[in-house]
């Protein structure tokens, strides 16, 4: 068994070069007064102790299941397979947590991407909608806590979440959402007005909001590394710096080919690489548009963070281009927002996010940013994730289309894939029954389509500002 340590969260950040490779157009920026580096570590990597680096694949081998991608979905799937004695190998083209799983906002919210309780009740019968909602809410949150307790892992897990309304009319949509959750048997929310919300967020920017005691926040890279740690403790094998270039089905298994070796999967393959999986999918149906997101972390603030967020709840709001933020280590504020078809520069992003911070919290007179980074995610037309299972003799699984939401749900779906493979539950089959539209030339046209769609939605928001549409 590999000797691997648990992820350790530091008291504060250590400015350093990232151990990941820069991927595509994504970038990390660090305030140059702390460090000048070609590819610095982002806040999450900087707030964790240096961790294990796995070797690249150098030869041919075989196992029961190959998992492509070591993010939250791949790590969770592999862990739950390994716990059942399934011989599993993970192939990762970069480093653990180098993509969206280690670059997101760290907020835990219920739902299936942009599908919440109301959408589930609309598309399914009562019992099926109730099952799906609890799968993506109570079960997803509980699973993270169970993994943390079972393996003694610290994820900086905190409970409580706020959706803040930027328009009085948005409270109608939030109320309808809370009502749908109660209808499906989950009652952790309450609607508050402007004055009561002021007890949680010291900002005049909002008209009220929804307090959700089921949601919360987490250190996503600590979670990702923790899942990999647990996987290795169960005998799992991880190869980093090993990009999959082809998947070929044969009579005796599925051959997963890389530049340095081939892994024969005797029983199944799981493609846990989200938006990057398209080129490997046997089914070429394009159901997602890729887009870029942006996150920053401030230097320690001049005001105590409790003067901004007294209960330390993470927040996202209801404006079309949402702001989301939460308190993190050493009186810092993590603040993110926007979604674009083409990747912004660090300078443009830095200016945009600083302006948003000052807009929400004008009492912050001097805000210095220590970290800014971009991320890549993908969205579907109907707002739910696209979950697929195909292959005749050997099942192949794939899930993508997260729309920037779903840290906890990704972990829960990983468990569902493992359970489906073993034949223990029909949870994953439930997800595959959600139909998705084909988007012609989706990956090519995203830089054009997304700005057009945003402009159209923006005009609609101007004409009907009380209608809640978040991107």
């Amino acid at each position: 068994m590999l000797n691997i340590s648990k992820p350790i969260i530091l008291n504060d950040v250590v400015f350093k070069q990232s151990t990941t490779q820069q991927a595509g157009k994504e970038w990390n920026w660090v305030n140059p007064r702390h460090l000048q580096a070609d590819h610095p570590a982002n806040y999450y990597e900087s707030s964790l102790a240096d961790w294990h680096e796995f070797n690249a694949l150098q030869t041919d081998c075989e196992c029961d299941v190959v998992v492509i991608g070591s993010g939250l979905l791949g790590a969770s799937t592999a862990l739950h397979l390994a716990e059942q004695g399934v011989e599993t190998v993970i192939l990762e083209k970069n480093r653990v947590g180098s993509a969206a799983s280690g670059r997101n906002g760290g907020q835990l919210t219920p739902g299936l991407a942009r599908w919440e309780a109301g959408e589930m009740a609309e598309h399914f019968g009562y019992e099926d909608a109730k099952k799906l909602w609890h799968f993506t809410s109570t079960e997803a949150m509980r699973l993270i806590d169970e993994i943390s307790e079972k393996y003694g892992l610290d994820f900086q897990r905190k409970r409580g979440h706020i959706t803040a309304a930027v328009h009085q009319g948005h409270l109608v949509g939030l109320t309808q959402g809370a009502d749908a959750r109660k209808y499906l048997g989950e009652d952790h929310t309450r609607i508050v007005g402007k004055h009561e919300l002021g007890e949680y967020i010291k900002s005049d920017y909002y008209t009220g909001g929804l307090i959700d005691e089921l949601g919360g926040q987490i250190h996503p890279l600590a979670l990702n590394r923790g899942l990999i740690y647990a996987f290795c403790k169960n005998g799992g094998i991880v190869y980093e710096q090993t990009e999959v270039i082809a998947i070929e089905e044969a009579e005796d298994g599925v051959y997963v080919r890389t530049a340095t070796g081939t892994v024969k999967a005797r029983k199944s393959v799981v493609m846990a690489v989200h938006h990057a999986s398209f080129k490997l999918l046997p089914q070429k149906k394009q159901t997602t548009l890729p887009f870029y997101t942006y996150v920053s972390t401030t230097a320690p603030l001049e005001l105590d963070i409790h003067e901004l967020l007294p209960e330390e709840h993470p927040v996202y709001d209801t404006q079309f281009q949402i702001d989301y933020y939460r308190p993190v280590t050493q009186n810092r504020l993590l603040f993110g927002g926007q979604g674009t078809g083409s990747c912004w520069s660090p300078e443009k992003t830095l200016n945009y996010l600083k302006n948003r911070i000052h807009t929400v919290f004008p009492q912050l007179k001097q805000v210095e940013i220590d970290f800014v980074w971009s991320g890549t995610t993908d969205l579907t037309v109907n707002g739910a994730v696209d979950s697929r299972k195909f292959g005749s003799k050997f099942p192949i699984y794939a899930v993508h289309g997260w729309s920037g939401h779903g840290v906890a749900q990704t972990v829960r779906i990983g468990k569902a894939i493992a359970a489906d493979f073993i034949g223990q539950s029909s949870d994953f089959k439930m997800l595959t029954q959600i139909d998705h539209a084909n988007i012609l030339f989706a990956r090519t046209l995203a830089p054009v389509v997304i700005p057009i769609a945003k402009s159209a939605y923006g005009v609609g928001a101007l004409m009907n500002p009380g209608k809640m549409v978040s991107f």
Side-chain angles (χ1 to χ4, degrees), residues 146-223:
E146 290 171 351
I147 293 170
S148 174
E149 182 177 355
K150 181 176 182 179
Y151 293 98
L153 297 166
D154 178 15
F155 300 145
Q156 268 187 351
R157 169 86 157 94
K158 296 181 181 180
R159 289 166 177 77
H161 186 274
I162 298 171
T163 305
V166 299
H167 188 280
Q168 190 71 28
H170 295 173
L171 290 173
V172 174
L174 294 178
T175 302
Q176 291 171 341
D179 179 64
R181 290 171 65 163
K182 292 177 183 178
Y183 170 69
L184 297 180
E186 181 268 300
D187 188 9
H188 292 85
T189 60
R190 62 190 179 90
I191 300 295
V192 299
K194 182 179 181 68
H195 298 297
E196 187 172 356
L197 185 65
E199 298 175 10
Y200 296 86
I201 309 172
K202 298 300 181 182
S203 173
D204 291 329
Y205 192 65
Y206 308 112
T207 62
L210 180 142
I211 311 295
D212 178 6
E213 298 303 338
L214 179 63
Q217 58 185 303
I218 203 164
H219 192 302
L221 185 55
L223 172 61

Side-chain angles (χ1 to χ4, degrees), residues 11 29 31 33 57 92 105 134 141 145 163 175 182 194-195 197 207 230 233-234 266 284 316 324 337 372 375 419 458:
N11 291 329
W29 177 92
N31 192 319
R33 76 181 184 87
L57 178 70
E92 166 58 50
H134 282 275
M141 304 300 172
D145 294 334
T163 305
T175 302
K182 292 177 183 178
K194 182 179 181 68
H195 298 297
L197 185 65
T207 62
K233 288 299 179 183
N234 282 277
R266 294 185 292 260
K284 295 302 182 183
Y316 68 72
Y324 53 90
V372 183

Side-chain angles (χ1 to χ4, degrees), residues 209-362:
L210 180 142
I211 311 295
D212 178 6
E213 298 303 338
L214 179 63
Q217 58 185 303
I218 203 164
H219 192 302
L221 185 55
L223 172 61
N224 199 166
R225 289 181 177 180
L227 293 171
I228 293 293
Y229 163 84
F231 170 62
C232 292
K233 288 299 179 183
N234 282 277
I237 297 173
V238 179
Y239 294 106
E240 293 182 318
Q241 305 296 346
T242 303
E243 182 173 6
V244 173
I245 56 178
I247 299 173
E248 300 170 2
E249 293 186 75
E251 285 299 314
D252 60 342
V254 182
Y255 288 80
V256 181
R257 305 198 184 279
T258 77
T260 53
T262 296
V263 184
K264 174 187 172 183
R266 294 185 292 260
K267 299 179 180 179
S268 180
V269 169
V270 179
M271 287 189 281
V273 285
H274 301 302
H275 66 279
S277 66
F278 173 72
K279 65 181 181 180
L280 300 174
L281 289 172
Q283 297 176 341
K284 295 302 182 183
K285 182 179 180 182
Q286 299 186 59
T287 59
T288 63
L289 286 168
F291 70 98
Y292 296 93
T293 61
Y294 310 93
V295 191
S296 67
T297 308
T298 69
L301 300 172
E302 81 259 23
L303 297 179
D304 189 309
I305 195 72
H306 296 94
E307 294 184 42
L308 306 179
L309 299 165
E311 302 297 325
E312 297 191 4
H313 281 15
V315 178
Y316 68 72
D317 68 20
T318 62
Q319 66 175 331
F320 177 60
Q321 292 290 344
I322 69 170
D323 294 329
Y324 53 90
Y325 49 90
R326 62 191 184 92
V328 290
T329 311
Q330 294 295 322
N331 207 50
R332 300 174 186 272
L333 182 69
L334 184 147
F335 197 104
Q338 267 290 351
T340 60
S342 299
C343 191
W344 281 3
S345 68
E347 294 75 19
K348 183 175 182 179
T349 306
L350 177 65
N351 291 332
Y352 172 81
L353 292 176
K354 282 189 73 171
N355 178 67
R356 294 308 308 160
I357 293 171
H358 283 297
T359 299
V360 176
F361 296 115

Side-chain angles (χ1 to χ4, degrees), residues 110-160:
L112 191 66
R114 287 180 289 126
W115 261 28
E116 298 189 4
E119 286 79 10
M120 294 178 190
E122 178 183 344
H123 287 84
F124 289 93
Y126 176 75
E127 291 300 329
D128 289 340
K130 182 177 180 180
K131 179 181 180 182
L132 181 58
W133 178 251
H134 282 275
F135 175 91
T136 62
S137 60
T138 55
E139 293 177 23
M141 304 300 172
R142 184 168 62 243
L143 178 58
I144 287 177
D145 294 334
E146 290 171 351
I147 293 170
S148 174
E149 182 177 355
K150 181 176 182 179
Y151 293 98
L153 297 166
D154 178 15
F155 300 145
Q156 268 187 351
R157 169 86 157 94
K158 296 181 181 180
R159 289 166 177 77

